[in-house]
Amino acid sequence: MKVIEKIREAVDGEGRTVFSFEFFPPKTEEGVENLFERMDRMVAHNPTFCDITWGAGGSTADLTLEIANRMQNIVCESLLIVVFPSQFDPSSFSSFSSPSHYQLISVETMMHLTCTNMPVEKIDHALDTIKNNGIQNVLALRGDPPHGQDKFVQVEGGFSCALDLVKHIRAKYGDYFGITVAGYPEAHPDMIQEGGATLEAYSNDLAYLKKKVDAGADLIITQLFYDTDIFLKFVSDCRQIGITCPIVPGIMPINNYKGFLRMTGFCKTKITSEITAALDPIKDNEEAVKAYGIHLGTEMCKKILAHGIKTVHLYTLNMEKSALAILMNLGLIEESKVTRSLPWRPPANVFRAKEDVRPIFWANRPKSYILRTSGWDQYPRGRWGDSQNPSYGALTDHQFMRPRTRDKKLQEEWAIPIKSIEDVHERFMNYCLGKLRSSPWSDLDGLQPETKIIDEQLSQINLKGFLTINSQPAVNGVKSGSPTVGWGGPGGYVYQKAYIEFFCSVEKLSQLVENCKALPSVTYIAVNKEGLRLSNVGPNAVNAVTWGVFPAKEIIQPTVVDPASFMVWKDEAFEIWTRGWACLFPEADPSRALLEEVRVYE
């Protein structure tokens, strides 16, 4: 979806104030991994969009494309038995559940694109790439000079300015992209001399900005500033010359003194005497500088919002605390309240924009689900439908690749020597009690709040040899604003059937199936690694396990149990037992041998 459409829908249609974040590509692989973890935490607060920079001189082009794609789209042998009753006697495991998780990054993404070192062929390659990845938003910039150069030089076959880039995007791609351009409240740095820009230079820069908007830009984000009066005058001046599109203030929290001086010097940003007086006595105290930066950012935003502007864009410098603290001070987010539009985080990809139904099996591995369904022509909307042979992509090595930080955590927590099957039971139990932060069957870090409701019962069922990897507790008409299980818009009520998915032995499965004969409200599917299936429902019996009722809307059923999809998922679940867990141990290790010998059902 275009950012301009989201802003108009929220601001004009609903009267809400919206915010957004900017990030830049880190220099190391570990830095990229850390950035994605930080993004995931920040995106949980529902920014309207996030943008990722292109890098000085086009130096991070490939990495920017990769990060933008991931931001937008994300990126034992037993029967695994699934039980999902509507009502179930607790003594028969109705309240037992393993952790459920929210999805990883999936946010409306805006990619910076510059003219620096970019002939038209490279520009079109970048635009085609993000279009194919479902990204609809571009911030069109001239760009800074390459490293080692003082002035911008037009590359052969490229563009000399952002205006030409805007014109090219509109001419070649029509209305597909939402185009954002930069606005400079103090004029472009190239026009600023010592003492500031002349009135003529400032007026010429405003006229140039209008040309960019007239050429097809539909949104303006400003360069950083620290004098709100300058910004407010800039907005007024833009309106007087006929610029009517939203103008989003770019706010950069002060995180450390030297970085502040370096950035304001580079951008030739005015520093008021009040700011200088406040920072000078504390410039060597980093925590005090950061606290002042939060205070200043908050007061700047309050003044801007008081003048009727309902958008704020935060230059995070890949740091979360100051940006989130400012938003909390403004009352735009709450520390303990993260709202979800669905039980899983919907992709921002334009091709999946209407998707609102998923099988529950990949709840803890959303990246894998997105990869395995990326080739679908249509995505379920309203109901799952009849899906006898879902065309899921094949398992690849990518499904079992882990970020370095996550791999290290799994090594620390799951590669501890295992001497008996009881040790296996205890490992699962400790995870469900929150004593471990990682699981081979989850992409995510730690447990979600709803798990605390049933963690003690969970520990007991795992000790009995039912090794849980996914589930949800029963929920009956809880308000949609519940911080534990809530989702959807305000004024609704949410419901869940109790659901549990686990590995167990053939013997335990046989006993459980026998007990289920006296419980007609319990449905189950069980399968072993070879595909032998045992169930009391038909192969096409799709069962909604989560639904919500909201004002003026049809009932929403976003999570289902689909037997056909379960048969696809079982291969992944069993493969994780060996490639995700057993392979953490060396080949000749007795622990690995024990795990590979265990015969279980899912």
Side-chain angles (χ1 to χ4, degrees):
M1 186 176 183
K2 294 179 184 177
V3 167
I4 183 62
E5 293 171 355
K6 296 188 72 172
I7 289 176
R8 284 174 176 160
E9 181 180 293
V11 175
D12 299 338
E14 303 171 15
R16 289 192 293 115
T17 298
V18 297
F19 59 89
S20 50
F21 301 123
E22 178 176 291
F23 303 98
F24 66 85
K27 295 180 180 179
T28 66
E29 181 181 346
E30 187 173 357
V32 174
E33 294 170 12
N34 291 335
L35 174 61
F36 280 123
E37 292 178 3
R38 188 170 295 114
M39 277 185 186
D40 191 47
R41 293 191 295 269
M42 297 179 75
V43 165
H45 293 283
N46 293 324
T48 305
F49 69 95
C50 293
D51 67 331
I52 181 74
T53 66
W54 191 249
S59 57
T60 63
D62 291 340
L63 183 56
T64 294
L65 287 169
E66 178 186 348
I67 292 175
N69 181 31
R70 291 178 64 181
M71 287 168 65
Q72 182 88 10
N73 297 301
I74 350 223
V75 241
C76 221
E77 293 177 12
S78 146
L79 287 187
L80 172 66
I81 186 163
V82 187
V83 182
F84 35 94
S86 54
Q87 291 183 335
F88 201 13
D89 182 352
S91 64
S92 301
F93 315 140
S94 66
S95 60
F96 295 150
S97 170
S98 68
S100 62
H101 300 269
Y102 305 155
Q103 287 189 16
L104 296 184
I105 304 163
S106 186
V107 64
E108 201 66 62
T109 299
M110 178 185 293
M111 189 188 77
H112 290 212
L113 185 60
T114 75
C115 303
T116 309
N117 288 338
M118 293 287 286
V120 173
E121 293 78 13
K122 286 188 176 181
I123 287 173
D124 287 344
H125 169 73
L127 292 168
D128 290 340
T129 299
I130 63 174
K131 182 178 180 182
N132 291 336
N133 289 331
I135 297 172
Q136 283 192 279
N137 298 287
V138 175
L139 177 54
L141 302 161
R142 186 202 69 179
D144 300 321
H147 289 297
Q149 297 184 22
D150 295 329
K151 294 183 178 180
F152 177 88
V153 177
Q154 179 180 355
V155 69
E156 184 177 353
F159 299 123
S160 63
C161 60
L163 174 59
D164 290 343
L165 180 56
V166 172
K167 289 178 178 179
H168 173 75
I169 295 172
R170 278 288 173 251
K172 180 159 186 175
Y173 296 91
D175 196 43
Y176 176 81
F177 287 109
I179 303 176
T180 300
V181 292
Y184 299 89
E186 300 173 66
H188 190 282
D190 288 355
M191 295 183 172
I192 299 177
Q193 305 301 321
E194 187 173 348
T198 64
L199 179 59
E200 181 182 4
Y202 175 75
S203 298
N204 289 340
D205 199 44
L206 280 181
Y208 178 69
L209 178 60
K210 189 173 189 304
K211 289 181 180 179
K212 291 192 288 185
V213 174
D214 291 344
D218 45 33
L219 185 68
I220 297 168
I221 297 178
T222 76
Q223 174 74 281
L224 64 93
F225 58 88
Y226 290 100
D227 187 333
T228 51
D229 289 335
I230 289 177
F231 167 75
L232 293 171
K233 179 182 182 300
F234 170 74
V235 173
S236 176
D237 292 341
C238 286
R239 300 306 183 220
Q240 288 181 27
I241 65 171
I243 296 175
T244 60
C245 69
I247 300 173
V248 182
I251 305 296
M252 182 176 286
I254 301 173
N255 284 289
N256 66 77
Y257 185 70
K258 290 182 179 179
F260 167 71
L261 292 182
R262 184 169 56 251
M263 186 60 68
T264 53
F266 178 77
C267 297
K268 300 181 181 179
T269 306
K270 177 185 175 182
I271 304 173
T272 66
S273 58
E274 291 83 1
I275 293 176
T276 301
L279 284 175
D280 192 58
I282 60 172
K283 60 185 178 183
D284 296 322
N285 185 333
E286 188 168 327
E287 289 304 312
V289 170
K290 190 173 295 186
Y292 174 73
I294 293 170
H295 167 74
L296 177 64
T298 301
E299 294 306 308
M300 287 174 63
C301 290
K302 283 181 178 179
K303 185 172 180 178
I304 291 168
L305 297 179
H307 280 76
I309 294 166
K310 291 184 174 292
T311 54
V312 175
H313 186 64
L314 289 158
Y315 296 116
T316 70
L317 297 178
N318 292 359
M319 293 181 278
E320 63 186 299
K321 291 184 178 179
S322 293
L324 294 182
I326 290 170
L327 294 176
M328 279 187 272
N329 289 344
L330 296 172
L332 298 179
I333 65 172
E334 296 180 29
E335 186 171 13
S336 60
K337 185 177 180 180
V338 177
T339 59
R340 302 180 292 168
S341 60
L342 291 168
W344 38 270
R345 188 180 296 161
N349 186 310
V350 64
F351 303 123
R352 307 183 75 131
K354 296 183 178 181
E355 178 186 14
D356 64 3
V357 186
R358 284 187 183 176
I360 197 171
F361 316 120
W362 284 272
N364 298 336
R365 285 175 60 80
K367 288 189 297 184
S368 178
Y369 180 80
I370 290 172
L371 284 169
R372 299 190 71 177
T373 58
S374 60
W376 288 10
D377 293 329
Q378 296 182 1
Y379 295 93
R381 170 81 171 167
R383 62 187 296 273
W384 179 253
D386 183 9
S387 180
Q388 296 187 35
N389 296 295
S391 54
Y392 289 93
L395 280 174
T396 66
D397 289 343
H398 192 81
Q399 262 86 15
F400 302 97
M401 292 173 63
R402 296 183 292 260
R404 186 177 304 167
T405 52
R406 174 170 156 72
D407 191 64
K408 181 180 178 182
K409 180 63 68 174
L410 281 171
Q411 286 283 348
E412 292 172 351
E413 297 183 339
W414 289 80
I416 299 171
I418 297 171
K419 298 179 180 179
S420 66
I421 191 64
E422 286 73 26
D423 289 344
V424 174
H425 299 172
E426 185 176 359
R427 198 66 45 84
F428 280 85
M429 179 199 71
N430 285 338
Y431 177 60
C432 293
L433 287 175
K435 296 180 180 179
L436 306 181
R437 296 289 300 174
S438 64
S439 165
W441 287 270
S442 175
D443 292 335
L444 309 174
D445 181 35
L447 307 174
Q448 293 299 327
E450 69 176 27
T451 307
K452 292 296 294 181
I453 301 171
I454 38 77
D455 58 358
E456 289 298 331
Q457 298 98 317
L458 263 175
S459 67
Q460 294 305 309
I461 194 173
N462 278 281
L463 282 180
K464 292 177 182 178
F466 298 90
L467 309 177
T468 59
I469 63 171
N470 184 21
S471 65
Q472 65 182 26
V475 171
N476 186 18
V478 173
K479 289 184 178 180
S480 58
S482 164
T484 305
V485 296
W487 55 272
Y493 293 87
V494 297
Y495 301 80
Q496 293 179 176
K497 292 182 182 179
Y499 165 87
I500 189 166
E501 182 179 344
F502 50 80
F503 295 104
C504 71
S505 67
V506 175
E507 295 75 19
K508 291 183 182 298
L509 173 66
S510 298
Q511 182 181 357
L512 191 58
V513 168
E514 185 64 29
N515 291 344
C516 286
K517 291 179 180 179
L519 299 166
S521 63
V522 177
T523 54
Y524 63 84
I525 311 170
V527 65
N528 65 4
K529 190 173 184 178
E530 288 72 33
L532 177 63
R533 181 180 182 275
L534 182 65
S535 179
N536 63 352
V537 297
N540 303 321
V542 177
N543 192 330
V545 290
T546 308
W547 63 98
V549 180
F550 301 91
K553 292 182 180 180
E554 294 184 2
I555 294 175
I556 303 173
Q557 299 180 0
T559 310
V560 300
V561 167
D562 169 43
S565 297
F566 179 65
M567 298 302 287
V568 176
W569 159 250
K570 66 94 177 172
D571 294 329
E572 190 167 332
F574 282 122
E575 195 74 7
I576 294 169
W577 184 282
T578 53
R579 295 181 65 180
W581 187 12
C583 286
L584 294 176
F585 298 94
E587 277 195 38
D589 193 287
S591 297
R592 180 167 178 167
L594 187 151
L595 290 174
E596 291 176 344
E597 289 172 4
V598 172
R599 308 292 297 182
V600 292
Y601 274 90
E602 184 179 31

